Amino acid sequence: MNEFERNFFDNSENDEVLNQEFEANPGDMELGERACEPSYIWNSDDFEKKTSSCTSIDKVQPNFDKKVKFSKNMKRYIAIATALAVVNLVALGGIFAVGYGVGAGKLGGEGKKNVIANLHQNDGSTAGLIQTVNKGEELSTVDISKKVGPAVVGITSTVNNIMNIFGGTTTSEGTGSGIIISSDGYIITNNHVIEGASLVNVTLNTGSEYEAKVIGSDSKTDLAVIKIKPDETLTVAELGDSSQIQVGERAIAIGNPLGMEFFGSTTQGIISAINRTINVDNRTMSVIQTDAAINEGNSGGALVNAYGQVIGINTVKIASSSVEGMGFAIPISEAKPIVEDLINYGYVKGRPVLGISARDVTRDMAQRQGWPMGVQVMSTQVGSGAEIAGLEQGDIIFKADGKDVKNFDDLSKIKDAHKPGEVIKLEVYKYETGLNKTISVKLTEERPD
C-alpha cells in the first residue's frame, strides 16, 4: 500500500466518500443515504436494495422479477462463502475499477434505414420522413390496447456466474418489457433490464420466443436496443412526439408487471407532469410523470398517448408507503437520438471523456488535510487524455475552464459542455508536490471497450 492509499483509507473511515467514475457508469457507485428524500428506484434488481433512513419510506422493492438459482456445489459452500465474504470485503475495500459495458453488433443497412425512419416518423423534425404530430382522432383504451399491446414484448435476461466460489455458480433470471420499433425485430428496452446478461430472450404476445442480440446499451440514459430474427410478422409501435404532450392528457402504460404471469397488462391514468427532473442512483433524468400504474416488470414497456403512439419508456417509480401513483417514463423524443446512435454505432457518440475515476474531496477532508475542495483522481485510464496530460492518482481538480469545481457534478457539467477533441483547462493540486498546476487535457470520445 502506497502513501496515497494509506491516506485514502485514513480519510475514508469517517467521510462519506463518493467514488465516481466520470466516463464509466457513475450511477453504479454508492452515494449513501439522503435523509427524507423520495426513494426513486429502477424497475430492476440490478441495483443494490436500500432501506431509507426516513420512516415514511419503505424498503425499496425491485421492479425486476428476479430468480436466483444455485448449483449444488454452491449450496455446499454458502456457509463458507458467507464467512469469507467479511474477510474479502476488508481486503478488497481499496480497489477501484474503471469500466463500462456496451454491447455492439454489425448491422444490416436496410434494417437500420427502416428503423431510423420509424424513429423520426412523428418527431416533427426535418430528419423525419413524415411530420404528423399526434394527429387523428383519439382512440378508446380498448383500441389502444389492441393497437400497441402486440408491439410490447416480454424480456427475460439470464446472468451467469454472479458468484463463483470453490467451483460453485449461480444463475439469475430477470424479466422486463420492451417495445418493437421495426418489422425486422429491433426492440427498445431499459439498460437495467439487460445489463450484464449472458442471454436475453424475447417473448411475443403470440407466445413465440426468440433469442435476442444486444445491439447497444447506455447506462447514463438507461436505454438499450436488442434485436431478434423473427419468422413471423411483427406489430411495430408507432412512436409519437413527447415534446407535444400536456399535463392532464390521458396516458396508458402497457407492460408485464410481476413478470410473464401478467404479460401485456394495461393500466390507465394521466400525464401528471412533464420535464420532471429526478436523480436515480446518481443519474439525473428528465422524465414524464404519470399516475398510470408502473409496477415490477414494467421496465422498458410503453407509455402511450390517446392516439396510440408511444410517448415514453416506463422506467422508474417512487417506493414509499405514503406515495401512490408516481411512476416515470423516459420521453420518447429524448430517447430517439440515443436509440439511433445505439443502432448505428452500438454506443452513444459525441460524449467527451477525461479518462479518470475519482471521488469528491469534502469540506471536512479538505480542512483536515489542508487540501482544496474538489475532485480527487483515484486512477487514470491508460491512453486517455488525462493520463497523457499528466494527471496522477491523488491529484485534486479544483477548477475547470476558470470555474470552481467543488464536486463531481461541477466537473461533469463543465466537461459535458465540450465536444470530443476539445481541450479543457484544469487547475490541479498535485498530491506529490503539494503545488498547484494548470493542466490542459484533450477530451476524447467515450467508447465501449
Side-chain angles (χ1 to χ4, degrees):
M1 183 182 295
N2 61 34
E3 181 184 353
F4 172 77
E5 291 169 334
R6 286 195 299 271
N7 193 29
F8 169 73
F9 285 121
D10 290 341
N11 283 288
S12 296
E13 290 179 355
N14 298 314
D15 293 320
E16 184 177 302
V17 179
L18 303 183
N19 298 322
Q20 316 266 10
E21 291 183 346
F22 291 178
E23 280 66 66
N25 296 331
D28 290 343
M29 295 301 191
E30 181 68 25
L31 294 184
E33 297 289 350
R34 293 183 179 180
C36 299
E37 291 187 357
S39 179
Y40 302 103
I41 62 170
W42 294 120
N43 292 348
S44 168
D45 197 33
D46 292 339
F47 298 95
E48 181 180 353
K49 299 177 184 178
K50 303 175 185 177
T51 302
S52 172
S53 55
C54 297
T55 56
S56 61
I57 303 296
D58 286 338
K59 181 178 180 181
V60 171
Q61 297 297 327
N63 283 1
F64 196 45
D65 184 28
K66 177 168 282 190
K67 303 172 183 177
V68 179
K69 303 175 182 178
F70 294 95
S71 68
K72 292 182 179 179
N73 287 340
M74 175 57 71
K75 292 177 181 177
R76 184 179 307 157
Y77 294 115
I78 284 178
I80 300 174
T82 303
L84 289 177
V86 177
V87 177
N88 289 336
L89 285 173
V90 175
L92 298 176
I95 295 178
F96 294 87
V98 179
Y100 54 88
V102 178
K106 300 297 182 181
L107 312 175
E110 289 303 316
K112 287 197 293 184
K113 289 180 182 178
N114 292 336
V115 71
I116 298 304
N118 188 43
L119 285 174
H120 289 294
Q121 184 174 6
N122 289 317
D123 63 5
S125 70
T126 56
L129 300 180
I130 304 174
Q131 297 186 20
T132 57
V133 180
N134 298 349
K135 291 184 178 180
E137 294 184 3
E138 292 191 8
L139 304 178
S140 69
T141 304
V142 172
D143 289 336
I144 290 171
S145 182
K146 290 179 179 179
K147 176 182 178 180
V148 185
V152 177
V153 304
I155 297 175
T156 302
S157 298
T158 303
V159 181
N160 293 322
N161 300 319
I162 294 179
M163 186 175 5
N164 195 330
I165 301 175
F166 306 120
T169 61
T170 64
T171 298
S172 66
E173 284 187 355
T175 57
S177 306
I179 306 166
I180 300 172
I181 59 172
S182 76
S183 59
D184 58 345
Y186 285 96
I187 297 168
I188 305 174
T189 187
N190 288 137
N191 172 70
H192 72 253
V193 170
I194 55 86
E195 188 174 26
S198 57
L199 178 66
V200 178
N201 287 314
V202 169
T203 303
L204 306 183
N205 78 320
T206 60
S208 301
E209 294 186 8
Y210 297 92
E211 184 174 337
K213 180 179 182 180
V214 177
I215 299 303
S217 62
D218 182 53
S219 64
K220 292 184 179 179
T221 57
D222 194 32
L223 291 169
V225 176
I226 60 177
K227 189 178 187 301
I228 61 174
K229 294 182 178 180
D231 54 15
E232 60 192 282
T233 301
L234 300 180
T235 299
V236 179
E238 181 183 358
L239 306 183
D241 183 0
S242 57
S243 68
Q244 300 295 312
I245 63 175
Q246 300 182 60
V247 174
E249 285 187 19
R250 191 154 51 111
I252 296 91
I254 303 177
N256 310 309
L258 304 180
M260 299 303 176
E261 183 178 358
F262 299 100
F263 188 101
S265 294
T266 299
T267 59
Q268 180 173 261
I270 63 170
I271 301 297
S272 304
I274 57 176
N275 301 321
R276 181 75 78 199
T277 300
I278 62 174
N279 189 284
V280 189
D281 287 311
N282 199 37
R283 293 165 170 85
T284 300
M285 304 179 69
S286 177
V287 292
I288 301 168
Q289 181 183 329
T290 180
D291 65 351
I294 297 176
N295 294 298
E296 300 177 18
N298 273 122
S299 291
L303 187 68
V304 186
N305 64 11
Y307 305 95
Q309 299 171 328
V310 176
I311 54 172
I313 302 166
N314 300 324
T315 189
V316 75
K317 72 173 185 178
I318 289 184
S320 171
S321 59
S322 61
V323 175
E324 292 183 4
M326 293 189 72
F328 302 92
I330 301 169
I332 196 66
S333 295
E334 295 184 17
K336 285 178 181 179
I338 304 298
V339 170
E340 186 171 348
D341 272 0
L342 294 179
I343 291 170
N344 284 325
Y345 311 108
Y347 69 100
V348 180
K349 288 183 66 66
R351 285 180 176 161
V353 294
L354 280 166
I356 64 173
S357 65
R359 66 168 179 172
D360 288 352
V361 175
T362 65
R363 185 178 302 277
D364 288 343
M365 289 170 59
Q367 291 177 347
R368 186 162 57 247
Q369 296 295 330
W371 294 342
M373 287 182 63
V375 174
Q376 188 166 45
V377 177
M378 305 308 295
S379 65
T380 58
Q381 294 175 335
V382 176
S384 66
E387 183 190 51
I388 294 171
L391 280 175
E392 299 173 304
Q393 185 184 61
D395 290 350
I396 299 171
I397 302 167
F398 59 91
K399 278 191 177 183
D401 290 341
K403 300 177 182 177
D404 289 338
V405 171
K406 300 297 184 184
N407 50 47
F408 163 77
D409 286 339
D410 291 344
L411 181 58
S412 184
K413 289 176 183 177
I414 298 169
K415 178 201 67 170
D416 289 344
H418 288 274
K419 297 179 180 179
E422 294 182 350
V423 174
I424 185 171
K425 185 176 291 186
L426 306 176
E427 297 295 326
V428 178
Y429 171 87
K430 296 295 290 181
Y431 180 81
E432 289 294 333
T433 65
L435 301 176
N436 295 340
K437 185 177 181 179
T438 300
I439 296 179
S440 295
V441 178
K442 185 176 182 180
L443 299 169
T444 54
E445 184 179 58
E446 181 179 340
R447 291 174 177 267
D449 290 333

